[in-house]
Coordinates of all heavy atoms in Angstrom, one line a residue:
M1145 N 0.8 -1.2 0.0 CA 0.0 0.0 0.0 C 0.9 1.2 0.0 O 0.7 2.2 -0.8 CB -0.9 0.0 1.3 CG -1.9 1.1 1.3 SD -3.1 1.0 0.1 CE -3.8 2.7 0.2
E1146 N 1.9 1.2 0.9 CA 2.7 2.4 1.0 C 3.5 2.6 -0.3 O 3.6 3.7 -0.8 CB 3.7 2.2 2.2 CG 4.7 3.4 2.3 CD 4.1 4.7 2.6 OE1 2.8 4.8 2.8 OE2 4.8 5.7 2.6
S1147 N 4.1 1.5 -0.8 CA 4.9 1.6 -2.0 C 4.0 2.0 -3.2 O 4.4 2.8 -4.0 CB 5.6 0.3 -2.3 OG 4.7 -0.7 -2.6
L1148 N 2.8 1.5 -3.2 CA 1.9 1.9 -4.3 C 1.6 3.4 -4.2 O 1.6 4.1 -5.2 CB 0.6 1.1 -4.1 CG -0.5 1.4 -5.1 CD1 0.0 1.1 -6.5 CD2 -1.7 0.6 -4.8
R1149 N 1.4 3.9 -3.0 CA 1.0 5.3 -2.8 C 2.2 6.2 -3.3 O 2.0 7.1 -4.0 CB 0.7 5.6 -1.3 CG 0.1 6.9 -1.1 CD -0.3 7.1 0.4 NE 0.9 7.1 1.3 CZ 1.6 8.2 1.5 NH1 1.3 9.4 1.0 NH2 2.7 8.2 2.3
R1150 N 3.4 5.8 -2.9 CA 4.6 6.5 -3.3 C 4.7 6.5 -4.8 O 5.1 7.5 -5.4 CB 5.8 6.0 -2.6 CG 5.9 6.2 -1.1 CD 7.2 5.8 -0.5 NE 7.3 5.8 0.9 CZ 7.3 7.0 1.6 NH1 7.4 8.1 1.0 NH2 7.3 6.9 2.9
T1151 N 4.5 5.3 -5.4 CA 4.7 5.2 -6.8 C 3.7 6.1 -7.5 O 4.0 6.8 -8.5 CB 4.4 3.8 -7.3 OG1 5.4 3.0 -6.6 CG2 4.6 3.6 -8.8
R1152 N 2.5 6.1 -7.0 CA 1.4 7.0 -7.6 C 1.7 8.4 -7.4 O 1.6 9.2 -8.4 CB 0.1 6.6 -6.9 CG -1.1 7.4 -7.5 CD -2.4 7.0 -6.7 NE -3.5 7.8 -7.1 CZ -4.2 7.7 -8.2 NH1 -3.9 6.6 -9.0 NH2 -5.2 8.5 -8.6
E1153 N 2.2 8.8 -6.3 CA 2.6 10.2 -6.0 C 3.7 10.7 -6.9 O 3.7 11.8 -7.4 CB 3.0 10.4 -4.6 CG 1.8 10.4 -3.6 CD 2.2 10.6 -2.2 OE1 3.4 10.6 -1.9 OE2 1.3 10.9 -1.3
S1154 N 4.6 9.8 -7.3 CA 5.8 10.2 -8.1 C 5.4 10.1 -9.6 O 6.2 10.6 -10.4 CB 6.9 9.3 -7.8 OG 6.7 7.9 -8.2
S1155 N 4.3 9.6 -9.9 CA 3.9 9.5 -11.3 C 3.0 10.7 -11.6 O 2.6 11.4 -10.8 CB 3.3 8.2 -11.6 OG 2.1 8.0 -11.0
S1156 N 2.7 10.8 -12.9 CA 1.8 11.9 -13.4 C 0.4 11.7 -12.8 O -0.1 10.6 -12.6 CB 1.7 11.8 -14.9 OG 0.7 12.7 -15.3
D1157 N -0.2 12.9 -12.5 CA -1.6 12.9 -12.0 C -2.5 12.3 -13.1 O -3.6 11.8 -12.8 CB -2.0 14.3 -11.7 CG -1.4 14.8 -10.4 OD1 -0.9 13.9 -9.6 OD2 -1.3 16.0 -10.2
D1158 N -2.0 12.4 -14.3 CA -2.8 12.0 -15.5 C -2.5 10.5 -15.8 O -2.4 10.2 -17.0 CB -2.5 12.9 -16.7 CG -3.5 12.8 -17.8 OD1 -4.6 12.4 -17.5 OD2 -3.1 13.0 -19.0
D1159 N -2.4 9.7 -14.8 CA -1.9 8.4 -15.0 C -2.9 7.5 -15.8 O -2.6 6.4 -16.2 CB -1.5 7.7 -13.7 CG -2.7 7.5 -12.7 OD1 -3.8 8.0 -13.1 OD2 -2.5 7.0 -11.6
E1160 N -4.2 8.0 -15.9 CA -5.1 7.2 -16.7 C -4.7 7.1 -18.2 O -5.1 6.2 -18.9 CB -6.5 7.7 -16.6 CG -7.1 7.5 -15.2 CD -8.6 7.9 -15.1 OE1 -9.1 8.3 -16.2 OE2 -9.1 8.0 -14.0
H1161 N -3.9 8.1 -18.5 CA -3.4 8.1 -19.9 C -1.9 7.7 -20.0 O -1.3 7.7 -21.1 CB -3.6 9.5 -20.5 CG -5.0 10.0 -20.4 ND1 -6.0 9.4 -21.2 CD2 -5.6 10.9 -19.7 CE1 -7.2 10.0 -20.9 NE2 -6.9 10.9 -20.0
D1162 N -1.4 7.3 -18.9 CA 0.0 6.8 -18.9 C 0.0 5.3 -19.2 O -0.8 4.6 -18.7 CB 0.5 7.0 -17.4 CG 2.0 6.6 -17.3 OD1 2.4 5.7 -18.0 OD2 2.7 7.2 -16.5
P1163 N 0.9 5.0 -20.2 CA 0.9 3.5 -20.6 C 1.1 2.6 -19.4 O 0.6 1.5 -19.4 CB 2.1 3.5 -21.5 CG 2.3 4.9 -22.0 CD 1.8 5.8 -20.9
E1164 N 1.8 3.0 -18.4 CA 2.1 2.2 -17.2 C 1.0 2.4 -16.2 O 1.0 1.8 -15.1 CB 3.4 2.5 -16.6 CG 4.6 2.2 -17.6 CD 5.9 2.5 -17.0 OE1 6.0 2.6 -15.7 OE2 6.9 2.5 -17.7
G1165 N 0.0 3.3 -16.5 CA -1.0 3.7 -15.5 C -2.1 2.7 -15.2 O -2.4 2.5 -14.0
P1166 N -2.6 2.1 -16.2 CA -3.8 1.3 -15.9 C -3.7 0.3 -14.8 O -4.6 0.2 -14.0 CB -4.0 0.6 -17.3 CG -3.5 1.5 -18.3 CD -2.3 2.1 -17.6
T1167 N -2.6 -0.5 -14.8 CA -2.5 -1.5 -13.7 C -2.4 -0.9 -12.4 O -3.1 -1.3 -11.4 CB -1.2 -2.3 -13.9 OG1 -1.3 -3.0 -15.2 CG2 -1.1 -3.4 -12.8
L1168 N -1.6 0.2 -12.3 CA -1.5 0.9 -11.0 C -2.9 1.5 -10.6 O -3.3 1.4 -9.5 CB -0.5 2.0 -11.1 CG -0.1 2.8 -9.8 CD1 0.4 1.8 -8.8 CD2 1.0 3.8 -10.1
S1169 N -3.5 2.1 -11.6 CA -4.8 2.8 -11.3 C -5.8 1.8 -10.9 O -6.6 2.0 -9.9 CB -5.3 3.5 -12.5 OG -4.5 4.6 -12.8
S1170 N -5.8 0.6 -11.5 CA -6.9 -0.4 -11.2 C -6.6 -0.9 -9.8 O -7.5 -1.2 -9.0 CB -6.9 -1.5 -12.2 OG -5.7 -2.3 -12.2
E1171 N -5.3 -1.1 -9.5 CA -5.0 -1.6 -8.1 C -5.4 -0.6 -7.1 O -5.9 -0.9 -6.0 CB -3.5 -1.9 -8.0 CG -3.0 -2.4 -6.7 CD -3.5 -3.7 -6.3 OE1 -4.2 -4.3 -7.1 OE2 -3.2 -4.2 -5.2
W1172 N -5.1 0.7 -7.4 CA -5.4 1.8 -6.4 C -7.0 1.8 -6.3 O -7.5 2.0 -5.2 CB -4.9 3.1 -7.0 CG -5.2 4.2 -6.0 CD1 -6.2 5.2 -6.2 CD2 -4.5 4.5 -4.8 NE1 -6.1 6.0 -5.1 CE2 -5.1 5.7 -4.3 CE3 -3.4 4.0 -4.2 CZ2 -4.7 6.2 -3.1 CZ3 -3.0 4.5 -3.0 CH2 -3.6 5.6 -2.4
S1173 N -7.7 1.7 -7.4 CA -9.1 1.7 -7.3 C -9.7 0.6 -6.5 O -10.6 0.7 -5.8 CB -9.7 1.6 -8.8 OG -9.4 2.8 -9.5
R1174 N -9.0 -0.6 -6.6 CA -9.4 -1.8 -5.9 C -9.3 -1.5 -4.4 O -10.2 -1.8 -3.6 CB -8.6 -3.0 -6.3 CG -9.1 -4.3 -5.8 CD -8.2 -5.4 -6.2 NE -6.9 -5.3 -5.6 CZ -6.7 -5.7 -4.3 NH1 -7.6 -6.2 -3.6 NH2 -5.4 -5.6 -3.8
I1175 N -8.1 -0.9 -4.0 CA -7.9 -0.7 -2.6 C -8.8 0.4 -2.1 O -9.4 0.3 -1.1 CB -6.4 -0.2 -2.4 CG1 -5.5 -1.4 -2.7 CG2 -6.2 0.3 -1.0 CD1 -4.0 -1.0 -2.7
R1176 N -9.0 1.4 -3.0 CA -9.9 2.5 -2.6 C -11.3 1.9 -2.4 O -12.1 2.3 -1.5 CB -9.9 3.6 -3.7 CG -10.8 4.8 -3.3 CD -11.0 5.7 -4.5 NE -9.8 6.3 -5.0 CZ -9.3 7.5 -4.5 NH1 -9.9 8.1 -3.6 NH2 -8.2 7.9 -5.1
G1177 N -11.7 1.0 -3.3 CA -13.0 0.4 -3.2 C -13.2 -0.4 -1.9 O -14.2 -0.3 -1.3
L1178 N -12.1 -1.1 -1.5 CA -12.2 -1.8 -0.3 C -12.4 -0.8 0.9 O -13.2 -1.1 1.8 CB -10.9 -2.6 0.0 CG -10.6 -3.8 -0.9 CD1 -9.2 -4.3 -0.7 CD2 -11.7 -4.9 -0.6
L1179 N -11.7 0.3 0.9 CA -11.8 1.3 1.9 C -13.2 2.0 1.9 O -13.8 2.2 2.9 CB -10.7 2.3 1.8 CG -9.3 1.8 2.2 CD1 -8.3 2.9 1.9 CD2 -9.3 1.5 3.7
T1180 N -13.6 2.2 0.7 CA -15.0 2.9 0.6 C -16.0 2.0 1.1 O -17.0 2.4 1.8 CB -15.2 3.3 -0.9 OG1 -14.2 4.1 -1.3 CG2 -16.6 3.9 -1.1
A1181 N -15.9 0.7 0.7 CA -16.9 -0.3 1.2 C -16.9 -0.4 2.7 O -17.9 -0.4 3.4 CB -16.6 -1.7 0.6
A1182 N -15.7 -0.3 3.3 CA -15.5 -0.4 4.7 C -16.1 0.9 5.3 O -16.8 0.8 6.4 CB -14.1 -0.5 5.1
E1183 N -15.9 2.0 4.7 CA -16.4 3.3 5.2 C -17.9 3.3 5.4 O -18.5 3.9 6.3 CB -16.0 4.4 4.3 CG -16.3 5.8 4.8 CD -15.7 6.9 4.0 OE1 -15.3 6.6 2.8 OE2 -15.6 8.0 4.5
S1184 N -18.6 2.5 4.5 CA -20.1 2.5 4.5 C -20.6 1.7 5.7 O -21.7 1.8 6.1 CB -20.6 1.9 3.2 OG -20.3 0.5 3.1
R1185 N -19.7 0.9 6.3 CA -20.2 0.0 7.4 C -19.4 0.2 8.6 O -19.8 -0.3 9.7 CB -20.2 -1.4 6.9 CG -18.9 -2.1 6.7 CD -19.0 -3.5 6.3 NE -17.8 -4.2 6.2 CZ -17.0 -4.3 5.2 NH1 -17.3 -3.7 4.1 NH2 -15.8 -4.9 5.2
L1186 N -18.2 0.8 8.6 CA -17.4 0.9 9.8 C -17.1 2.4 10.1 O -16.7 3.1 9.2 CB -16.1 0.2 9.6 CG -16.2 -1.4 9.4 CD1 -14.9 -1.9 9.0 CD2 -16.7 -2.0 10.7
G1187 N -17.2 2.7 11.4 CA -17.0 4.1 11.8 C -15.6 4.5 11.8 O -15.3 5.7 11.9
D1188 N -14.6 3.6 11.8 CA -13.2 3.9 11.9 C -12.6 4.1 10.6 O -11.3 4.1 10.5 CB -12.5 2.9 12.8 CG -12.6 1.5 12.3 OD1 -13.3 1.3 11.3 OD2 -11.9 0.6 12.8
A1189 N -13.4 4.2 9.5 CA -12.8 4.4 8.2 C -12.0 5.7 8.1 O -11.0 5.7 7.4 CB -13.9 4.3 7.1
D1190 N -12.5 6.7 8.7 CA -11.8 8.0 8.7 C -10.4 7.8 9.3 O -9.4 8.4 8.7 CB -12.5 9.1 9.5 CG -13.7 9.6 8.8 OD1 -13.8 9.3 7.5 OD2 -14.5 10.3 9.4
A1191 N -10.3 7.0 10.3 CA -8.9 6.8 10.9 C -8.1 6.0 9.9 O -6.9 6.3 9.8 CB -9.1 6.0 12.2
A1192 N -8.7 5.1 9.2 CA -7.9 4.3 8.2 C -7.4 5.2 7.1 O -6.2 5.2 6.7 CB -8.8 3.2 7.6
W1193 N -8.3 6.1 6.7 CA -7.9 7.1 5.6 C -6.7 8.0 6.1 O -5.8 8.3 5.4 CB -9.0 7.9 5.2 CG -9.8 7.3 4.1 CD1 -11.1 6.9 4.1 CD2 -9.3 7.1 2.7 NE1 -11.4 6.4 2.8 CE2 -10.3 6.5 2.0 CE3 -8.1 7.3 2.1 CZ2 -10.2 6.1 0.7 CZ3 -7.9 6.9 0.8 CH2 -9.0 6.3 0.1
A1194 N -6.8 8.4 7.4 CA -5.8 9.2 8.0 C -4.4 8.5 7.9 O -3.4 9.1 7.7 CB -6.1 9.6 9.4
R1195 N -4.5 7.2 8.2 CA -3.3 6.4 8.2 C -2.7 6.2 6.8 O -1.5 6.2 6.6 CB -3.5 5.0 8.8 CG -3.8 5.1 10.3 CD -3.7 3.8 11.0 NE -4.6 2.8 10.5 CZ -5.9 2.7 10.9 NH1 -6.3 3.5 11.8 NH2 -6.6 1.7 10.5
V1196 N -3.7 6.2 5.8 CA -3.2 6.1 4.4 C -2.5 7.4 4.1 O -1.4 7.5 3.5 CB -4.4 6.0 3.4 CG1 -3.9 6.2 2.0 CG2 -5.0 4.6 3.6
E1197 N -3.1 8.6 4.5 CA -2.5 9.9 4.3 C -1.1 10.1 4.9 O -0.2 10.6 4.3 CB -3.4 11.0 4.8 CG -4.7 11.0 4.0 CD -4.5 11.4 2.5 OE1 -3.7 12.3 2.3 OE2 -5.2 10.8 1.6
N1198 N -1.0 9.6 6.2 CA 0.3 9.8 6.8 C 1.3 8.7 6.7 O 2.4 8.7 7.2 CB 0.1 10.2 8.3 CG -0.4 9.0 9.1 OD1 -0.2 7.8 8.8 ND2 -1.0 9.2 10.2
G1199 N 0.9 7.7 5.9 CA 1.9 6.7 5.5 C 1.9 5.5 6.5 O 2.8 4.6 6.4
S1200 N 1.1 5.5 7.6 CA 1.2 4.5 8.6 C 0.2 3.4 8.3 O 0.1 2.4 9.1 CB 1.0 5.0 10.0 OG -0.4 5.5 10.1
Y1201 N -0.6 3.5 7.2 CA -1.5 2.5 6.9 C -0.8 1.1 6.7 O 0.2 1.0 6.1 CB -2.3 2.8 5.6 CG -3.4 1.8 5.3 CD1 -4.6 1.8 5.9 CD2 -3.2 0.8 4.3 CE1 -5.6 0.9 5.6 CE2 -4.1 -0.1 4.0 CZ -5.4 -0.1 4.7 OH -6.3 -1.0 4.4
G1202 N -1.4 0.1 7.3 CA -0.8 -1.3 7.2 C 0.2 -1.6 8.2 O 0.8 -2.6 8.2
T1203 N 0.4 -0.6 9.1 CA 1.3 -0.8 10.3 C 0.5 -0.9 11.6 O -0.3 -0.1 11.8 CB 2.3 0.3 10.4 OG1 3.1 0.4 9.1 CG2 3.3 0.1 11.5
C1204 N 0.8 -1.9 12.4 CA 0.1 -2.1 13.6 C 0.3 -0.9 14.5 O 1.5 -0.5 14.8 CB 0.5 -3.4 14.3 SG -0.2 -3.7 15.9
L1205 N -0.7 -0.3 15.1 CA -0.6 0.8 15.9 C 0.0 0.5 17.3 O 0.5 1.3 18.0 CB -2.0 1.5 16.1 CG -2.6 2.1 14.9 CD1 -4.0 2.8 15.3 CD2 -1.7 3.2 14.3
R1206 N -0.1 -0.8 17.6 CA 0.4 -1.2 19.0 C 1.8 -1.6 19.0 O 2.6 -1.1 19.8 CB -0.5 -2.3 19.5 CG -0.2 -2.8 20.9 CD -1.2 -3.7 21.4 NE -1.0 -4.2 22.8 CZ -0.2 -5.2 23.1 NH1 0.3 -5.9 22.1 NH2 0.0 -5.6 24.3
C1207 N 2.2 -2.5 18.1 CA 3.6 -3.0 18.1 C 4.4 -2.6 16.9 O 5.6 -2.8 16.9 CB 3.6 -4.6 18.1 SG 3.0 -5.4 16.6
G1208 N 3.8 -1.9 15.9 CA 4.5 -1.4 14.8 C 4.9 -2.4 13.7 O 5.5 -2.1 12.7
S1209 N 4.4 -3.6 13.9 CA 4.6 -4.6 12.8 C 3.7 -4.4 11.6 O 2.7 -3.7 11.7 CB 4.3 -6.0 13.4 OG 5.1 -6.3 14.4
A1210 N 4.2 -4.9 10.5 CA 3.3 -4.8 9.3 C 2.1 -5.7 9.4 O 2.2 -6.8 9.9 CB 4.1 -5.2 8.1
I1211 N 1.0 -5.1 9.1 CA -0.3 -5.9 9.1 C -0.3 -6.7 7.8 O -0.2 -6.2 6.8 CB -1.5 -5.0 9.2 CG1 -1.4 -4.2 10.5 CG2 -2.8 -5.9 9.2 CD1 -2.5 -3.2 10.7
P1212 N -0.5 -8.1 7.9 CA -0.5 -8.9 6.7 C -1.5 -8.4 5.7 O -2.6 -8.1 6.1 CB -0.9 -10.3 7.3 CG -0.5 -10.3 8.7 CD -0.7 -8.8 9.1
P1213 N -1.1 -8.4 4.4 CA -2.0 -7.9 3.3 C -3.3 -8.7 3.4 O -4.4 -8.1 3.1 CB -1.2 -8.2 2.1 CG 0.2 -8.1 2.5 CD 0.2 -8.7 3.9
G1214 N -3.3 -10.0 3.7 CA -4.5 -10.8 3.7 C -5.5 -10.2 4.7 O -6.7 -10.3 4.5
R1215 N -4.9 -9.8 5.8 CA -5.8 -9.2 6.9 C -6.4 -7.9 6.4 O -7.6 -7.7 6.7 CB -5.0 -9.0 8.1 CG -5.7 -8.3 9.3 CD -5.0 -8.4 10.6 NE -5.5 -7.6 11.6 CZ -6.6 -7.8 12.3 NH1 -7.3 -8.9 12.0 NH2 -7.1 -7.0 13.2
L1216 N -5.6 -7.1 5.7 CA -6.2 -5.8 5.2 C -7.2 -6.1 4.1 O -8.1 -5.2 4.0 CB -5.0 -5.0 4.7 CG -4.1 -4.5 5.8 CD1 -2.9 -3.8 5.1 CD2 -4.7 -3.5 6.7
E1217 N -7.1 -7.2 3.4 CA -8.1 -7.5 2.4 C -9.4 -7.8 3.1 O -10.5 -7.3 2.6 CB -7.7 -8.8 1.6 CG -6.5 -8.6 0.7 CD -7.0 -8.2 -0.7 OE1 -8.2 -8.2 -0.9 OE2 -6.1 -7.9 -1.5
V1218 N -9.3 -8.5 4.2 CA -10.6 -8.8 4.9 C -11.1 -7.6 5.7 O -12.3 -7.4 5.8 CB -10.3 -10.0 5.8 CG1 -11.6 -10.4 6.7 CG2 -9.9 -11.3 5.0
R1219 N -10.1 -7.0 6.4 CA -10.5 -5.8 7.2 C -9.6 -4.6 6.8 O -8.6 -4.3 7.4 CB -10.2 -6.1 8.7 CG -11.4 -6.9 9.3 CD -11.2 -6.9 10.9 NE -11.4 -5.5 11.3 CZ -11.2 -5.1 12.6 NH1 -10.8 -5.9 13.5 NH2 -11.3 -3.8 12.9
P1220 N -10.1 -3.9 5.8 CA -9.3 -2.7 5.3 C -9.0 -1.7 6.3 O -8.0 -0.9 6.2 CB -10.2 -2.2 4.2 CG -11.0 -3.3 3.7 CD -11.3 -4.1 5.0
T1221 N -9.8 -1.6 7.4 CA -9.6 -0.6 8.4 C -8.8 -1.1 9.6 O -8.7 -0.4 10.6 CB -10.9 0.0 8.9 OG1 -11.7 -1.1 9.4 CG2 -11.7 0.6 7.7
A1222 N -8.3 -2.3 9.5 CA -7.6 -2.9 10.6 C -6.4 -2.0 11.0 O -5.6 -1.6 10.2 CB -7.0 -4.3 10.2
A1223 N -6.3 -1.7 12.3 CA -5.3 -0.9 12.8 C -4.3 -1.7 13.6 O -3.2 -1.1 14.0 CB -5.9 0.2 13.7
F1224 N -4.6 -2.9 13.8 CA -3.7 -3.8 14.6 C -3.4 -5.1 13.9 O -4.2 -5.6 13.1 CB -4.3 -4.1 16.0 CG -4.6 -2.8 16.8 CD1 -5.9 -2.3 16.8 CD2 -3.6 -2.2 17.5 CE1 -6.2 -1.1 17.5 CE2 -3.9 -1.1 18.3 CZ -5.2 -0.5 18.2
C1225 N -2.2 -5.7 14.2 CA -1.9 -7.0 13.6 C -2.8 -8.0 14.3 O -3.5 -7.7 15.3 CB -0.4 -7.3 13.7 SG 0.1 -7.5 15.5
V1226 N -2.8 -9.2 13.8 CA -3.7 -10.3 14.4 C -3.4 -10.5 15.8 O -4.3 -10.5 16.7 CB -3.5 -11.6 13.6 CG1 -4.3 -12.7 14.2 CG2 -3.9 -11.4 12.1
A1227 N -2.1 -10.6 16.2 CA -1.7 -10.8 17.6 C -2.2 -9.7 18.5 O -2.8 -10.0 19.6 CB -0.2 -11.0 17.7
C1228 N -2.0 -8.5 18.1 CA -2.4 -7.3 18.9 C -3.9 -7.2 19.0 O -4.5 -6.8 20.0 CB -1.8 -6.0 18.4 SG 0.0 -6.0 18.7
A1229 N -4.6 -7.5 17.9 CA -6.0 -7.3 17.9 C -6.7 -8.3 18.8 O -7.7 -8.1 19.4 CB -6.6 -7.6 16.4
S1230 N -6.0 -9.5 19.0 CA -6.6 -10.5 19.8 C -6.5 -10.1 21.3 O -7.2 -10.7 22.1 CB -5.9 -11.9 19.6 OG -4.6 -11.8 20.0
V1231 N -5.6 -9.2 21.6 CA -5.4 -8.9 23.0 C -5.9 -7.4 23.3 O -5.9 -7.0 24.4 CB -3.9 -8.9 23.5 CG1 -3.4 -10.4 23.4 CG2 -3.0 -8.0 22.7
H1232 N -6.2 -6.7 22.2 CA -6.6 -5.3 22.3 C -8.0 -5.2 22.9 O -8.9 -5.9 22.5 CB -6.6 -4.7 20.9 CG -6.9 -3.2 21.0 ND1 -6.0 -2.3 21.6 CD2 -7.9 -2.5 20.5 CE1 -6.5 -1.1 21.5 NE2 -7.6 -1.2 20.8
Ligands
ZN2380 ZN1 0.7 -5.6 16.6

């Protein structure tokens, strides 16, 4: 997520017309879709977006470990890794 965000930021805003853009854009849209879907049902989506903005998205707020991508697929707004969520 972080690397994708950085790649996107470093590329043209007009990436829909960039030959290398479609894959990145579709991946970004997919992630955005996951977050948007979560926003419709979870109140902590704003916090997740804030973490996307400040670059801490995907990092456990408690122990600082990377949250497994599979967990973020299931829970896009997850703020803790599996181990910390179980004790939180
Ligand atoms: Zn943790």
Side-chain angles (χ1 to χ4, degrees):
M1145 183 70 195
E1146 176 63 6
S1147 63
L1148 177 64
R1149 191 176 67 84
R1150 289 186 188 285
T1151 300
R1152 183 178 170 83
E1153 284 180 348
S1154 65
S1155 65
S1156 168
D1157 289 339
D1158 194 25
D1159 63 359
E1160 287 184 13
H1161 302 292
D1162 185 326
E1164 297 180 16
T1167 300
L1168 186 59
S1169 291
S1170 66
E1171 177 68 2
W1172 183 258
S1173 294
R1174 190 182 66 80
I1175 294 171
R1176 186 193 294 274
L1178 287 173
L1179 287 174
T1180 302
E1183 186 171 19
S1184 70
R1185 67 178 190 272
L1186 295 172
D1188 58 355
D1190 282 348
W1193 270 116
R1195 294 197 296 279
V1196 171
E1197 293 295 321
N1198 69 23
S1200 67
Y1201 183 79
T1203 300
C1204 176
L1205 293 182
R1206 185 170 180 272
C1207 71
S1209 299
I1211 299 173
R1215 174 168 170 73
L1216 293 173
E1217 288 271 354
V1218 177
R1219 280 197 61 190
T1221 60
F1224 302 96
C1225 67
V1226 177
C1228 290
S1230 67
V1231 299
H1232 186 64

